[in-house]
Amino acid sequence: MFEPIARFFSAKPPEVLPYYVAGAVLFSILMIFVLINLPSRARKPLIALVTFLAGLFYATEFFFPIDRATNKNFLTDYLVPASKLGSLLGGMTLTLGILSLLRVHGRNIARLRAGWYNSVALLVAMVSMVTFGLMDKYGANDGAKKVFNVLFEGMLINMDATMFSLIAFYIVSASYRAFRIRSIEATILMVTAFLVMLGQVPVGNALTDWLPQDGTFASLRVENIKQWILSQVNAAALRAIAFGLGVGGLAISLRIWLSLERGAYFEKEI
Amino acid sequence: MDALWQDILARPAIYAGAICTLGLMTLIYRENAVYRFFEHVFIGLAAGFSIVVLIKEILDPFLYQPVFKKGEWYWTFVFMFGLLFYFIHSRKYNWLSRLPIGFLMGFSAGQAFQGFANTYLPQLARSFRPLFVTTPDGSWDAAAGINNLIFMIVLVTVMSYFFFSFEQKSRVIRNSAQFGRWVMMVAFGAIFGTTIMARMALLFDRMYFLFSDWLRLVR
Amino acid sequence: MQHAFEKIWPVLIVEVLTAVIIIWRIVSAQRGKELFIRRIPGLNAIDEAIGRATEMGRPVLMVPGIGGFSIIALQALSIFSYIARSTAKFGNRILMPVADPTVYTVAEEVIRDAYQAEGHPERFEADSIRFLSDRQFAFASGVAGLIQREQIASSFMFGEFFAESLIFAETGNMVGAIQVAGTVHTTQIPFFIAACDYTIIGDEYYAASAYISRNPTMLGSLVGQDFGKLLIASLCVIGSVAATLAALEVPVLGTASQWFINLFTIR
Amino acid sequence: MATTPGTSAPRDIWDRLQAIDRRVLYVLLLVVIILPLFVPIRLPMVTMPSTQKLYQAVESIPEGGYVIVSTTWSGGTRAENMPQTEAILRHLMKRRLRVAVFSFDQQGSQFSYNIASRVARDFGYEYGKDWVHWGFRPVAGVVMKSLVRDIPGTFTTDRDGKPTKDMPVMQGIKDIKDVDAIVEIAASGIYMDWIGLVVGANPKLKFGFCPTAVMAPETYPYMDSGQIVGIMEGMRGAAEYEQLVNTVGLATKGMGSISLAHVLIMLLIIVGNVGYIVTRARRS
């Protein structure tokens, strides 16, 4: 029964390919016209249906019995195409994001708002990265490669690393300000952070180096206290938090999948 | 001066990197014109790179190659479906954009079952900790038993903190939740303490980049 | 585990049972039963933070994290939608830098709807929601700059946050903003606690929309979630008792306990 | 828990101790980070058992043994992974073992080549005879599966595309059974793949792992079970390793900076709290 459908959706040789592609485009445009004229009371159910079917694919693939020999069921082979489909759809929104950038900064430049030259710098940087990035892939040219190297390895990677490293400064000011014995909670937070810090660095370890390496008193060495906090208290607390997050995530997924979710976006008349 | 120019031409990426590093670092003093300039350059470069990635790693391999090189014409439908996103700016047909959005939501929600099973179920059995533990040679290991008991107490009290719909009337539940919150603070303090090391290593790397790679003052 | 049938019992007992309970509670809640929910201080603070921004006449910042489009981002957007309804009412300026283009697309829609629902569609400025960059630290540099230039009065951070969490929270603290934050990435919670005024921990994040909206559907879901957690906590306790019995090699009971443990052991 | 910075002007020393300007803190941090780069600061160092175990494992490799070093890291974690790579290579070359380096990361391949060339010069190692660099290899799983059965077939060329068939360093190496140890220096969870696909295939193979400090805790269970022979934990592990092989490298300098930074933070916490306690005591 599925044979003719499968044959219709199979890969096509170059001679007929343009017709199929054009046909698909025309059909899609036709469908959009149908959608535009859809009565408004049918819209929400249609969106709910699309959402449900998309979720149903992954749910069925997970719950449907598998063939023990191959560890697959009838949908498993479609997982890869499905993830490609997801990436492609998600990727297509990038244009909307870039349009937002262009709109904000284009307006800055057009109206010569304060700092308009920064917006120019942004656009120049963007255009050069696109130009040389694509040349790097599609047109090998030594000069272009060098420029791309300066833009990517020289600038982008180093800027990433620099912003990341700023956290070192912020961690100092945050711990200086927040770790005060103001309340029980703040005190607990401070004491454990302090102990763990001691356990992290050689200087701290030297403090309890006089304690034996083995035996009962060894557990009082700072590095062992640190290890105990991490492996016992930390692991258990994080697992408990994770269980809650797991159930919460499952609940919100169910609500969205079955269109039970509420809020301005979901309840709006369309 | 000539030597400087030659050096710049020989290592343009290092010089560019050093200037960018210094430019962004000025933020720790305060937001200023130099930072603002480099921030915009950074965002521009990043946006440009995202476009390059989109073309190289999504549109080319998932759309152009399959359709025009392998003849898998049906991907055209996906592209056309994705175009519905752009109706978001239309006053009248705005709702059409909800179709691909709903589709992606469904995709994301549908994966939750496998995600839950993979992430949390294996942890469940690993939480079954015996309170009586023997060492490999058969003797009683009291410390391990106590550790397991502590593990259980922490697990249960922290979970009790996250019950939202039970009124915390009974003192047991209230105290358990309070204790759970304190234990969480221990965990958070520990995370804070361990993270400092990694962040300091990053700053050290930046300084090494400036003083060694760029200025060559340190080997 | 790729499929449920690889280890069907834990999936059925824990996952499916939890899902069924959640749906059952949602449906019964929709029939209109009064439901209780405990206080979540961080969420009460949202109104206070917006109020302060109104007094100071400075903008409100909302950051939906740097994660892609997922249930986590959607939850963040529903919290922001609530905030946007308040700001629409009081006429605050909002700023919402976004790191994922799909989230950006949906965010614009959600916030616009919130303004419309409040009856002030004219107060919505499209430029207040901006796509900055999908690259972690480029986004961070943009947000840090924005916070200082605009001198924001209050800052809300909900969604997926990673290392950059502290950059946002400390810069916000520098300009003296009231900050409320929550994320599912527990490793970032300590930094929010250190630098923000209120922090939502763990699955308080997923309780937020129910708490704020008091919508019966969501509250029902929350009750169902509690049952799910109760189930897991009980299983952990029972499992530990079973493990102890098995370790003590109690006759019969020990074997039964081992069977119970094996039932849940995956790989 | 955060507080808005003091609204009223600090009155006395105790108030001031609680409200040190953040820029002062930042300058102090810069000083303690930069100083050890120029002035060597030797701090008391306690070697962790995990580092010691890795060192012992390398020591126990028989003379003329064969070691594969994989460097799956990039610029982002250079501060931790570069000294690790250098320290382990120093030890291997000091012991005059045959070394093959490669990477599952493009940047890591470049970095490890530079480091290995430098260390090789120090120990008089000849390229192609004593050591080789197989370059960047994408798709870890495929490479690992194939190197178990056939090493020359997996790495037919070196990083410059030169055939490895006739290199002396490749002689007598057919499959995983001829390898004595594998050391992975990584910023990711790639050790799981090694354990799953390679480590079991040769019971006497030693697998050492050098993760970033953040990654380290999750790898401990595998050291307990013996699947990993030893762990060099981040920059700290590298500093300890440098001490074991008697060299003052980047990690020792870095550890000086990082230790001082920790000390600075701890001092600041103490100072802030002292100020807080005194003012509170006075007020009441």
Side-chain angles (χ1 to χ4, degrees), chain B residues 50-71:
Chain B
S50 298
I51 297 173
V52 173
V53 170
L54 173 70
I55 293 170
K56 278 207 293 208
E57 276 158 40
I58 293 182
L59 293 183
D60 188 30
F62 300 158
L63 186 68
Y64 178 78
Q65 299 281 350
V67 173
F68 295 104
K69 298 282 152 147
K70 294 187 212 140

Side-chain angles (χ1 to χ4, degrees), chain C residues 150-167:
Chain C
E150 302 279 354
Q151 293 282 312
I152 54 154
S154 42
S155 157
F156 301 99
M157 292 166 273
F158 290 98
E160 288 191 73
F161 288 86
F162 300 88
E164 75 290 347
S165 63
L166 191 61
I167 299 183

Side-chain angles (χ1 to χ4, degrees), chain B residues 41-124:
Chain B
V41 171
F42 191 8
I43 292 174
L45 288 174
F49 193 69
S50 298
I51 297 173
V52 173
V53 170
L54 173 70
I55 293 170
K56 278 207 293 208
E57 276 158 40
I58 293 182
L59 293 183
D60 188 30
F62 300 158
L63 186 68
Y64 178 78
Q65 299 281 350
V67 173
F68 295 104
K69 298 282 152 147
K70 294 187 212 140
E72 296 170 353
W73 62 283
Y74 40 83
W75 287 101
T76 316
F77 288 117
V78 181
F79 177 74
M80 294 303 289
F81 185 54
L83 287 183
L84 292 181
F85 276 122
Y86 298 90
F87 278 95
I88 202 151
H89 292 302
S90 145
R91 222 162 235 282
K92 209 164 153 203
Y93 305 117
N94 169 296
W95 73 276
L96 283 174
S97 67
R98 288 178 178 236
L99 286 167
I101 290 171
F103 186 87
L104 286 182
M105 282 185 194
F107 249 32
S108 176
Q111 290 167 345
F113 295 103
Q114 198 198 331
F116 185 90
N118 266 328
T119 320
Y120 304 105
L121 294 183
Q123 298 200 24
L124 190 62

Side-chain angles (χ1 to χ4, degrees), chain D residues 208-226:
Chain D
F209 189 50
C210 310
T212 52
V214 179
M215 280 285 305
E218 70 177 68
T219 61
Y220 282 128
Y222 298 94
M223 191 172 65
D224 290 338
S225 62

